[in-house]
Amino acid sequence: MKAHDGMYIDGAWRPAASGDTIDVVNPLDEQVIDRVPAGTAADVDAAVRAARAALPGWAATPPAERASQLAALRDVLAARKDEIAETVTAELGSPLAFSQAVHASVPIAVAGSYAELAASHAFEEKVGNSTVYQEPIGVVGAITPWNYPLHQIVAKVAPALAAGCTVVLKPAEDTPLTAQLFAEAVDEAGIPAGVFNLVTGLGPVAGQALAEHPGVDLVSFTGSTAVGRQIGATAGAAVKKVALELGGKSANVILPSADLAKAVNVGVANVMSNSGQTCSAWTRMLVHRDQYDEAVELAATAAAKYGSRIGPVVNAKQRARVRSYIEKGVAEGARLVAGGPESPSAQGYFISPTVFADVTPDMTIAQEEIFGPVLSILRYDDEDDAVRIANGTVYGLAGAVWAGEEAEAVAFARRLETGQVDINGGRFNPRAPFGGYKQSGVGRELGAHGLSEYLQTKSLQF
């Protein structure tokens, strides 16, 4: 798609307050493919004002009508699925097949789930002599990342609209074309002016202005834990609600009774997916010491098959970051069994699929989020040791457990300090709550739990 040279505010594309622009770079060939406006505090203010003006009417719209509007949005996204996939591939570098199967398809399913929830959710209930109402929290400031550009937008905007909130979106500066395409879809679906607004720009400028704006009632942010702390502090000073979906260092625990080959192969695929740029990726594989050598061999073989199948990381800064972690892993004594810091291509922001063995829990690569195609394999002695290692980071976003019997896996999973656990390769569920323990965030996305983040409660006593 061709970029718009303005902001989508109050149902129309309007000139930006500044003439400054942001280059959109294709990670595959490092070429500038387009430019978008660099939003300022003035653009954010105009968008928030539009959202506040539209709030009373949208909040008063019957849930069934809001559901119909969301269904229309889902249908527009579905009709433009190929364009979405091509746009994501152009600005994120994701292989087209993955963009079609995940980046375009999952948001359509999520939008559809909120169309259904808006129609079926009980926004009021009787509790003894009280009637309890769930009402929209107000204007939502949504700040989204680049790694799943459309999914992260829909996972915030769809529940907010279903709840009766209005939204100002500040997308990641690396993937703004997908956000503009979404704004076009909102417009085509006939969602009323001001209900959804888009401001492109840099995080420290437009993102900060949105988080600080007194007209914003809730800030929903997905990104790094460091930035999440800043946004939480800003919102806390104003006693403003936040929803934070932050970093992860998820453990993939393979119990001795599991199908080792399947668990290892699926685990490697999970880490390499989206070039490792997934906050919930199972980047630590925990294997019993009696099966460790076999698991390492299986993982190295599996990773070698991904050399030409994964795309680049998003930009030069991210490539340098991932390389630095690989170099640190080697320096701290981990053993490279696949990949390494050298780029497999002279052009593009590529990182070789990398696997480390002999990783200990205290190593940097076992503690910090790398956000690239890098897997660390750790030994454990028994289940208590595995629980200790799995829970031994500041994060608690996701994870996996493999065992011969489902009951065994479930019993182990219940001991993990993490928000979501896949049992024996359990499938993604767009209606299941997603979010983390500890420094992986505050609140939940997706399904009814995601809807509740955008609602506040009022009770009337009779």
mmCIF file with all atom_site columns, all heavy atoms in Angstrom, residues 82 128 167 214 218 254 372:
data_model
loop_
_atom_site.group_PDB
_atom_site.id
_atom_site.type_symbol
_atom_site.label_atom_id
_atom_site.label_alt_id
_atom_site.label_comp_id
_atom_site.label_asym_id
_atom_site.label_entity_id
_atom_site.label_seq_id
_atom_site.pdbx_PDB_ins_code
_atom_site.Cartn_x
_atom_site.Cartn_y
_atom_site.Cartn_z
_atom_site.occupancy
_atom_site.B_iso_or_equiv
_atom_site.pdbx_formal_charge
_atom_site.auth_seq_id
_atom_site.auth_comp_id
_atom_site.auth_asym_id
_atom_site.auth_atom_id
_atom_site.pdbx_PDB_model_num
ATOM 1  N N   . ASP A 1 82  ? -4.876  -10.539 1.672  1.00 0.00 ? 82  ASP A N   1
ATOM 2  C CA  . ASP A 1 82  ? -3.653  -10.625 0.873  1.00 0.00 ? 82  ASP A CA  1
ATOM 3  C C   . ASP A 1 82  ? -2.854  -9.324  0.948  1.00 0.00 ? 82  ASP A C   1
ATOM 4  O O   . ASP A 1 82  ? -1.617  -9.351  1.050  1.00 0.00 ? 82  ASP A O   1
ATOM 5  C CB  . ASP A 1 82  ? -4.001  -10.939 -0.579 1.00 0.00 ? 82  ASP A CB  1
ATOM 6  C CG  . ASP A 1 82  ? -4.505  -12.364 -0.770 1.00 0.00 ? 82  ASP A CG  1
ATOM 7  O OD1 . ASP A 1 82  ? -4.302  -13.188 0.145  1.00 0.00 ? 82  ASP A OD1 1
ATOM 8  O OD2 . ASP A 1 82  ? -5.117  -12.645 -1.816 1.00 0.00 ? 82  ASP A OD2 1
ATOM 9  N N   . GLY A 1 128 ? -27.732 -9.712  44.683 1.00 0.00 ? 128 GLY A N   1
ATOM 10 C CA  . GLY A 1 128 ? -28.551 -9.397  45.853 1.00 0.00 ? 128 GLY A CA  1
ATOM 11 C C   . GLY A 1 128 ? -29.446 -8.205  45.563 1.00 0.00 ? 128 GLY A C   1
ATOM 12 O O   . GLY A 1 128 ? -30.204 -8.192  44.593 1.00 0.00 ? 128 GLY A O   1
ATOM 13 N N   . VAL A 1 167 ? -10.606 5.142   20.929 1.00 0.00 ? 167 VAL A N   1
ATOM 14 C CA  . VAL A 1 167 ? -9.195  4.774   20.913 1.00 0.00 ? 167 VAL A CA  1
ATOM 15 C C   . VAL A 1 167 ? -8.354  5.775   20.129 1.00 0.00 ? 167 VAL A C   1
ATOM 16 O O   . VAL A 1 167 ? -8.777  6.260   19.080 1.00 0.00 ? 167 VAL A O   1
ATOM 17 C CB  . VAL A 1 167 ? -9.019  3.367   20.276 1.00 0.00 ? 167 VAL A CB  1
ATOM 18 C CG1 . VAL A 1 167 ? -7.537  2.975   20.237 1.00 0.00 ? 167 VAL A CG1 1
ATOM 19 C CG2 . VAL A 1 167 ? -9.816  2.316   21.040 1.00 0.00 ? 167 VAL A CG2 1
ATOM 20 N N   . PRO A 1 214 ? -3.878  14.035  29.688 1.00 0.00 ? 214 PRO A N   1
ATOM 21 C CA  . PRO A 1 214 ? -4.912  13.942  30.716 1.00 0.00 ? 214 PRO A CA  1
ATOM 22 C C   . PRO A 1 214 ? -6.263  13.465  30.184 1.00 0.00 ? 214 PRO A C   1
ATOM 23 O O   . PRO A 1 214 ? -7.123  13.050  30.964 1.00 0.00 ? 214 PRO A O   1
ATOM 24 C CB  . PRO A 1 214 ? -5.009  15.381  31.253 1.00 0.00 ? 214 PRO A CB  1
ATOM 25 C CG  . PRO A 1 214 ? -4.469  16.239  30.147 1.00 0.00 ? 214 PRO A CG  1
ATOM 26 C CD  . PRO A 1 214 ? -3.415  15.420  29.487 1.00 0.00 ? 214 PRO A CD  1
ATOM 27 N N   . LEU A 1 218 ? -7.034  5.181   29.973 1.00 0.00 ? 218 LEU A N   1
ATOM 28 C CA  . LEU A 1 218 ? -6.307  3.916   30.105 1.00 0.00 ? 218 LEU A CA  1
ATOM 29 C C   . LEU A 1 218 ? -5.231  3.881   29.044 1.00 0.00 ? 218 LEU A C   1
ATOM 30 O O   . LEU A 1 218 ? -5.476  4.226   27.884 1.00 0.00 ? 218 LEU A O   1
ATOM 31 C CB  . LEU A 1 218 ? -7.247  2.714   29.920 1.00 0.00 ? 218 LEU A CB  1
ATOM 32 C CG  . LEU A 1 218 ? -6.639  1.296   30.007 1.00 0.00 ? 218 LEU A CG  1
ATOM 33 C CD1 . LEU A 1 218 ? -7.667  0.307   30.524 1.00 0.00 ? 218 LEU A CD1 1
ATOM 34 C CD2 . LEU A 1 218 ? -6.150  0.806   28.627 1.00 0.00 ? 218 LEU A CD2 1
ATOM 35 N N   . ILE A 1 254 ? 10.652  -30.247 29.043 1.00 0.00 ? 254 ILE A N   1
ATOM 36 C CA  . ILE A 1 254 ? 10.423  -31.573 28.474 1.00 0.00 ? 254 ILE A CA  1
ATOM 37 C C   . ILE A 1 254 ? 10.671  -32.594 29.581 1.00 0.00 ? 254 ILE A C   1
ATOM 38 O O   . ILE A 1 254 ? 11.814  -32.804 30.004 1.00 0.00 ? 254 ILE A O   1
ATOM 39 C CB  . ILE A 1 254 ? 11.356  -31.817 27.279 1.00 0.00 ? 254 ILE A CB  1
ATOM 40 C CG1 . ILE A 1 254 ? 11.173  -30.707 26.235 1.00 0.00 ? 254 ILE A CG1 1
ATOM 41 C CG2 . ILE A 1 254 ? 11.076  -33.190 26.661 1.00 0.00 ? 254 ILE A CG2 1
ATOM 42 C CD1 . ILE A 1 254 ? 12.156  -30.777 25.075 1.00 0.00 ? 254 ILE A CD1 1
ATOM 43 N N   . GLY A 1 372 ? 15.243  -12.720 19.250 1.00 0.00 ? 372 GLY A N   1
ATOM 44 C CA  . GLY A 1 372 ? 15.807  -13.168 17.991 1.00 0.00 ? 372 GLY A CA  1
ATOM 45 C C   . GLY A 1 372 ? 15.786  -14.680 17.958 1.00 0.00 ? 372 GLY A C   1
ATOM 46 O O   . GLY A 1 372 ? 15.396  -15.336 18.938 1.00 0.00 ? 372 GLY A O   1
#
